[in-house]
Amino acid sequence: MASSESTVRQMDTKHNMKSRLQLWAKEIVYNKWLYLMFLPVFIWYFIFAYWPMHGLLMAFQKYNVVKGITGSDWVGLKYFKQFLEDPHFYRLIKNTLLLNIYSLIFGFPVPIILALCFNEIRNLMVKKITQTISYLPYFISTVVVCGMALTFLSPSTGVVNIILNKLGMESIFFFQDPAYFRTIYVLLGIWQGAGFSAIIYIAALSGISPELYEAAKIDGAGRWSQLRYITFPSLVPTIIIMLLLNLGTILTADFGKILLLYNPTIYETADVLNTYVYRKGLIDNNYSYATAVGLFQAVIGFVLVYVANYLSKKANQTSLW
């Protein structure tokens, strides 16, 4: 009796799997052009994001270039313990967290405010021009942006210091004083990325039904009341999703920008986990140690996103998954 029931269950399972495969095949055929458009993205992610993940094994090995990953000796959690005992550990964590927290506090609201301002512009031509101007910095190379910052803030020929000198003040060595680096980093990030990030919120605003605004006008609501009770609440789900995504990178600073701007005199505030991995891995050739630090970053970021997503789902039913 038991064997017959088991056979029936196996047959049901096979039937369900066959049905799912058939549905999946029909779905692919029906949406073949969409999947074809997605194929280059999938190939890129597979080659550059998923396939290299086997290299994470180096974090648990004493990696030898000649022996390779499969032949290197296993050392367990040696390099993770070494990193936690590193004298620079707390400085690296502190700098990385502070740069990202400041970027969240001062930079995260700017695209939202920009999107709300663009949404209130009624002249279509003015709206297009201002949006285009706000997008432009994003398409400027990070190398160029950092070069502009170094030029404008130069102690001898920089525009900022020339103005200070004209006002009777002494020149400021912005890139030799650790106190200025975080401010420069955050401001550059806002200037370069705020306009482009606003596109997501503008798209969310375009999905709000015009009937809501018409009903609000009939009820006597002004533009401020419409903004407060219709526009902003409609943005909340998008804001939460973007905040969750940002939390995943809380231990990942803009490596390229920092590498181009920092120097040993400002390591106190500018040295972060990404630059430390670069120095240890590519300059000191300590690949296993650098991989362990990078994996530590990734795990902490994943935990933060998972916890934040869980809390968000419990609080207001908005989540990434």
Side-chain angles (χ1 to χ4, degrees):
M1 186 71 177
S3 61
S4 62
E5 290 179 357
S6 176
T7 304
V8 171
R9 282 198 297 268
Q10 289 178 0
M11 291 178 63
D12 289 340
T13 303
K14 290 180 180 179
H15 178 72
N16 290 333
M17 288 181 64
K18 186 177 180 180
S19 299
R20 289 177 182 176
L21 287 173
Q22 288 176 345
L23 289 172
W24 185 62
K26 288 180 180 178
E27 170 70 16
I28 290 178
V29 172
Y30 183 76
N31 295 309
K32 56 182 179 296
W33 299 116
L34 293 177
Y35 284 110
L36 189 62
M37 291 173 62
F38 173 72
L39 186 61
V41 179
F42 173 79
I43 293 172
W44 187 93
Y45 269 97
F46 179 78
I47 294 175
F48 295 104
Y50 290 100
W51 179 252
M53 287 181 71
H54 74 282
L56 294 175
L57 293 173
M58 288 192 296
F60 308 96
Q61 298 175 325
K62 186 176 181 181
Y63 180 70
N64 186 293
V65 178
V66 177
K67 294 180 179 179
I69 294 176
T70 55
S72 298
D73 299 325
W74 293 91
V75 295
L77 300 176
K78 172 186 174 181
Y79 293 108
F80 292 94
K81 294 177 182 177
Q82 187 177 331
F83 175 58
L84 294 175
E85 295 170 356
D86 193 301
H88 301 302
F89 174 77
Y90 292 106
R91 185 187 74 183
L92 294 169
I93 297 295
K94 176 186 174 183
N95 289 342
T96 309
L97 282 175
L98 285 178
L99 285 176
N100 283 286
I101 289 171
Y102 289 157
S103 295
L104 274 178
I105 293 173
F106 299 106
F108 186 77
V110 175
I112 302 171
I113 296 169
L114 269 178
L116 292 172
C117 291
F118 291 148
N119 191 59
E120 293 300 314
I121 298 175
R122 293 293 176 258
N123 188 306
L124 188 60
M125 181 63 71
V126 174
K127 187 176 183 178
K128 288 183 177 180
I129 292 172
T130 52
Q131 286 183 9
T132 303
I133 292 172
S134 70
Y135 302 157
L136 288 178
Y138 181 81
F139 299 100
I140 300 175
S141 168
T142 301
V143 176
V144 176
V145 171
C146 294
M148 291 167 61
L150 291 168
T151 302
F152 292 155
L153 300 176
S154 169
S156 56
T157 60
V159 174
V160 175
N161 277 309
I162 288 175
I163 294 173
L164 292 176
N165 293 335
K166 293 291 184 181
L167 297 174
M169 302 170 66
E170 295 184 359
S171 296
I172 299 175
F173 292 78
F174 289 101
F175 292 102
Q176 278 75 47
D177 190 341
Y180 293 103
F181 180 80
R182 289 171 185 154
T183 303
I184 295 170
Y185 175 86
V186 172
L187 290 177
L188 283 178
I190 294 172
W191 178 76
Q192 189 175 16
F196 189 80
S197 299
I199 293 175
I200 297 173
Y201 300 107
I202 293 171
L205 289 172
S206 65
I208 302 174
S209 174
E211 295 177 358
L212 294 174
Y213 292 106
E214 292 173 4
K217 289 178 182 178
I218 293 171
D219 290 339
R223 294 182 69 172
W224 172 251
S225 297
Q226 293 174 34
L227 176 66
R228 181 179 177 185
Y229 295 107
I230 299 176
T231 307
F232 187 75
S234 299
L235 277 181
V236 169
T238 306
I239 292 171
I240 292 173
I241 294 298
M242 295 304 298
L243 183 60
L244 290 174
L245 292 173
N246 276 278
L247 286 175
T249 59
I250 198 74
L251 283 181
T252 306
D254 191 334
F255 167 73
K257 190 178 296 177
I258 294 175
L259 187 67
L260 292 166
L261 292 176
Y262 87 150
N263 58 73
T265 62
I266 56 173
Y267 276 179
E268 182 184 339
T269 58
D271 196 21
V272 294
L273 287 169
N274 300 68
T275 52
Y276 188 68
V277 168
Y278 164 75
R279 292 202 307 275
K280 284 293 181 180
L282 296 181
I283 296 179
D284 297 343
N285 297 321
N286 194 344
Y287 303 113
S288 295
Y289 186 74
T291 305
V293 178
L295 183 57
F296 172 83
Q297 276 184 278
V299 170
I300 297 299
F302 172 77
V303 171
L304 287 171
V305 170
Y306 187 87
V307 172
N309 186 75
Y310 175 80
L311 294 175
S312 175
K313 192 173 183 179
K314 288 289 185 182
N316 55 23
Q317 306 301 314
T318 301
S319 62
L320 289 170
W321 62 83

